[in-house]
Amino acid sequence: MTAGVSSSYSGAPADRRTGMGRTGLVVLGVAALVVGGILIFNPYAAVRTLALFLGLSLIVGGCLEIVAGWDSGRRLSSTVLGGLLILGGLLTAFWPGVTVWTLAVLTGISLIIHGLTRIMVAFMGRAEIPHWGWLALAGAVNLVFGILALAWPEATVVVLSLILGFQILAFGIVLLVAAFVRPPSPQAATA
């Protein structure tokens, strides 16, 4: 008599979000929380420092995107989406003579493009992606904060820091939740 408990010996498929993928999501999610917290609680940083932190937040978000899709069949779309954020982050961090207006525009455009693409990928792959709604929510968060950044291109350093701090903080939280939410098992779906 057996107790219907699956183990690695029973031939049950392993959870897809184990090992490096989950560890990467957690590490980068925590990094996003730290960078977002710094931006929120230290909004009076100089423009150059703000550019480095904003660039770092976009780069961390891009790495999160790549890691989130690495253990799935969507490596290509995750790599492209992550690459967009990383490119925006590098431009933001290393633009010579950067101004607050330039930061707002670069960050806003990066977040809008990433958010729209993330939402499209989540909806197009909803049949194959467990908990695709979390990914669409992460895209919507980026879209909203990208629009906010573009709506106030002459924003003060404080406003821009708060907007992007909340964006990376929210994105980190959504991806940390996604790292620990288990997709439904195929047996549960048919039962």
Side-chain angles (χ1 to χ4, degrees):
M1 178 183 230
T2 61
V5 177
S6 65
S7 71
S8 59
Y9 300 109
S10 68
D15 183 12
R16 291 192 111 161
R17 268 190 232 118
T18 57
M20 292 301 290
R22 180 175 286 180
T23 302
L25 275 176
V26 170
V27 168
L28 291 171
V30 169
L33 293 177
V34 168
V35 172
I38 290 170
L39 285 170
I40 290 169
F41 294 112
N42 188 16
Y44 296 100
V47 173
R48 188 73 209 125
T49 304
L50 180 62
L52 291 174
F53 275 124
L54 293 177
L56 180 61
S57 71
L58 289 172
I59 291 168
V60 167
C63 292
L64 273 168
E65 185 69 51
I66 292 169
V67 169
W70 197 255
D71 285 344
S72 69
R74 359 173 234 104
R75 279 188 187 177
L76 179 62
S77 64
S78 291
T79 302
V80 169
L81 287 167
L84 287 170
L85 286 180
I86 291 170
L87 177 63
L90 290 172
L91 285 172
T92 301
F94 298 111
W95 190 288
V98 69
T99 64
V100 174
W101 184 85
T102 306
L103 287 178
V105 171
L106 282 174
T107 305
I109 289 172
S110 296
L111 291 175
I112 288 171
I113 291 171
H114 176 267
L116 287 173
T117 309
R118 162 59 41 227
I119 291 168
M120 286 183 348
V121 167
F123 275 97
M124 289 182 341
R126 67 183 177 264
E128 298 89 29
I129 301 172
H131 301 292
W132 62 272
W134 285 107
L135 297 175
L137 178 63
V141 166
N142 280 357
L143 180 63
V144 167
F145 284 107
I147 290 169
L148 285 173
L150 284 180
W152 294 321
E154 288 93 16
T156 65
V157 173
V158 175
V159 172
L160 190 57
S161 180
L162 290 175
I163 287 173
L164 273 299
F166 281 115
Q167 180 275 329
I168 192 68
L169 194 68
F171 194 64
I173 289 169
V174 167
L175 288 175
L176 277 174
V177 168
F180 291 105
V181 172
R182 289 187 176 256
S185 66
Q187 293 93 6
T190 60

